[in-house]
Amino acid sequence: MAGFEDILAQEVKDLGIENVETINRGVKISGSLADLYLLNYQSRLALRFLVPLNSFSAHNEDQLYRGVKHYDWSKVFDVTQTFSVDATTFHSRLDHSLYVALKSKDAIVDQFRDKMGKRPNVDTDDPDIKINIHLVGNKCTVSLDSSGKSLHIRGYKNKNGTAPLNEVLAAGMIKMSDWDQRTNLLDPMCGSGTLLTEAAMMLYKVPAGKFRTKFCFQQWSNFDKDLYSGIKKEADSKIITKVNNIIEGADKDRRCISDTRANLAGCGLSQMVKVKIEDFFKSKAPHDSGMIIINPPYDERIKLEDAKGFYQSIGDILKQNYEGYTAWILSGDLDSAKHIGLKPSRKIKLYNGQLECKFLKFELYSGSKKRINN
Ligand SMILES: C[S@@+](CC[C@H](N)C(=O)[O-])C[C@H]1O[C@@H](n2cnc3c(N)ncnc32)[C@H](O)[C@@H]1O
């Protein structure tokens, strides 16, 4: 994800894999099959892990087709398995990614047909084998997608709510907030509870992939079931059930609270997070200090009658009732966010889907009330 390179590289190192460097929108890792299984099972901050197979120059569609067809695909999968191809292109003459994917798919199908008289079927929704074509200028890299469905699909989410955060974005926000996992954490506009669930999974050390039913590497011919079971067992053995701090959430909408409860239950953490129906504008700080992370409506998917007034009220409540807290607010409504009325001590550019957002940090120590009144 854009802006996640550094925290992802750190996460990979924290998982014990040293050989990692940041690249545009990702990290480059040298590691073993065991590392690949572990990363898929444990990473909270990656959307997918690609394994490069080969690369070649492709100035036009013909060179692309021949380059993809040149690789021996029977080494990778069987004609009875389903597959799909996706593509990304940057600064390339071949700038239509769907066409690049289609042409590459044709090359693979044609190779099987030429060699065996049979072709594998395409399944774009849930393929056994997923192939990624990455074109930067004329350089084409063909990779196997070891993850399959994007890793933000953790498998615990039963309810999505109106404007849910992507789980990887939520986990990244928590990492970027520098939450020390000892401080109490509050999301007072929790929606379907993505931030709460990701924070609770971190705190209780529940692996990000624990509730996923499938990764594409499990369909590869070299899949080592025992190795993968061992990696899962080792990660699961680190789950804890007791902590000294509290994660809590609220939303003014009853349905959101029931969605949050359902999602927490999906990963066995409903007892670990306190949630309640509450209007933030009538709320008081539950403790003397803590961290608040808020993902308020942006006046996009959830419309606001008076967006500027809404953001001003967030700032007022933080100043009046949450002294001693550190607050982080993610908003894609950059104009309204200026009305919070507090000076952010940090601003981080993030993307929620295609929408550019700011993740803003506010220190609410005593004196902030005075500062705004001056
Ligand atoms: C963008 S959504 C949050 C989505 C959430 N992060 C998720 O992943 O599902 C904003 C939420 O703020 C809630 N909200 C709006 N005004 C509120 C208020 N005054 N007090 C509490 N919650 C409020 C809405 O009900 C909505 O669920």
Side-chain angles (χ1 to χ4, degrees):
M1 213 176 249
F4 273 42
E5 296 85 348
D6 291 339
I7 54 170
L8 176 58
Q10 190 56 51
E11 179 185 58
V12 172
K13 284 184 194 157
D14 291 345
L15 288 168
I17 299 156
E18 279 304 318
N19 214 334
V20 51
E21 64 179 274
T22 56
I23 53 171
N24 187 22
R25 290 180 181 227
V27 295
K28 199 168 159 187
I29 302 161
S30 308
S32 63
L33 209 51
D35 294 336
L36 188 70
Y37 295 172
L38 179 128
L39 287 169
N40 272 291
Y41 193 60
Q42 297 248 66
S43 172
R44 302 183 197 282
L45 303 176
L47 292 168
R48 68 192 70 248
F49 289 100
L50 300 175
V51 178
L53 295 177
N54 75 335
S55 54
F56 53 87
S57 294
H59 293 83
N60 53 46
E61 61 176 80
D62 199 40
Q63 288 178 350
L64 171 75
Y65 176 89
R66 279 190 278 122
V68 175
K69 199 175 175 189
H70 182 71
Y71 192 78
D72 181 1
W73 288 100
S74 66
K75 283 196 304 202
V76 176
F77 70 110
D78 197 81
V79 72
T80 59
Q81 290 181 291
T82 59
F83 79 108
S84 75
V85 183
D86 63 22
T88 43
T89 75
F90 297 95
H91 312 300
S92 173
R93 277 180 62 201
L94 294 162
D95 60 356
H96 195 311
S97 54
L98 278 179
Y99 183 72
V100 168
L102 195 70
K103 202 74 195 160
S104 305
K105 184 267 295 173
D106 286 347
I108 296 168
V109 164
D110 289 349
Q111 187 195 78
F112 272 101
R113 222 194 251 119
D114 292 352
K115 279 190 182 166
M116 310 176 70
K118 287 188 273 189
R119 58 156 289 181
N121 286 330
V122 169
D123 179 347
T124 48
D125 179 47
D126 191 17
D128 295 325
I129 304 293
K130 204 166 165 188
I131 294 152
N132 178 269
I133 309 289
H134 187 66
L135 262 168
V136 181
N138 302 320
K139 189 180 173 203
C140 180
T141 305
V142 180
S143 305
L144 270 182
D145 183 336
S146 68
S147 311
K149 285 198 173 166
S150 167
L151 292 175
H152 81 274
I153 302 169
R154 312 280 203 219
Y156 65 71
K157 222 172 203 183
N158 305 308
K159 304 282 181 181
N160 258 323
T162 315
L165 286 172
N166 173 307
E167 290 76 354
V168 168
L169 175 59
M173 288 163 60
I174 296 164
K175 285 274 178 202
M176 286 176 189
S177 76
D178 283 333
W179 177 50
D180 60 7
Q181 302 196 17
R182 290 191 299 274
T183 314
N184 297 325
L185 185 78
L186 167 69
D187 175 357
M189 298 192 186
C190 67
S192 58
T194 319
L195 284 161
L196 297 174
T197 315
E198 289 297 321
M201 285 179 90
M202 271 179 214
L203 185 60
Y204 289 91
K205 306 194 189 309
V206 179
K210 182 158 176 57
F211 302 99
R212 247 178 99 102
T213 47
K214 186 173 165 185
F215 297 96
C216 263
F217 65 75
Q218 292 170 290
Q219 274 72 240
W220 295 357
S221 56
N222 66 352
F223 176 51
D224 186 333
K225 205 171 169 186
D226 292 341
L227 179 65
Y228 178 51
S229 296
I231 283 164
K232 270 171 59 167
K233 215 165 154 190
E234 161 84 18
D236 291 354
S237 72
K238 297 190 174 132
I239 297 173
I240 55 171
T241 51
K242 280 207 166 50
V243 296
N244 292 321
N245 56 335
I246 299 171
I247 298 180
E248 51 207 325
D251 200 288
K252 64 169 191 178
D253 184 335
R254 177 179 299 276
R255 211 195 37 210
C256 290
I257 292 304
S258 108
D259 289 352
T260 295
R261 290 203 172 109
N263 290 331
L264 285 165
C267 53
L269 291 169
S270 47
Q271 301 303 313
M272 319 308 199
V273 179
K274 287 209 254 174
V275 285
K276 63 179 175 191
I277 302 163
E278 184 174 65
D279 184 341
F280 178 64
F281 300 134
K282 296 180 184 148
S283 72
K284 294 257 184 288
H287 311 282
D288 288 342
S289 62
M291 183 174 278
I292 309 180
I293 306 190
I294 318 181
N295 170 220
Y298 307 161
D299 202 20
E300 287 270 330
R301 279 183 289 179
I302 301 177
K303 291 284 172 203
L304 294 168
E305 255 176 44
D306 169 16
K308 292 184 174 56
F310 185 90
Y311 277 81
Q312 188 179 340
S313 301
I314 292 180
D316 289 347
I317 293 296
L318 288 176
K319 280 170 248 163
Q320 287 156 18
N321 297 352
Y322 286 86
E323 203 173 276
Y325 273 70
T326 299
W328 284 89
I329 300 178
L330 179 79
S331 183
D333 185 349
L334 305 181
D335 276 344
S336 299
K338 290 182 186 138
H339 292 258
I340 292 170
L342 278 166
K343 196 172 168 3
S345 57
R346 274 189 77 191
K347 288 185 197 176
I348 303 174
K349 183 160 75 165
L350 289 176
Y351 285 87
N352 187 351
Q354 299 297 313
L355 187 69
E356 184 183 321
C357 294
K358 286 274 157 43
F359 192 36
L360 305 168
K361 181 180 186 183
F362 303 99
E363 307 281 2
L364 305 164
Y365 28 65
S366 44
S368 44
K369 214 187 287 183
K370 214 164 69 199
R371 200 169 58 232
I372 164 111
N373 290 339
N374 283 339

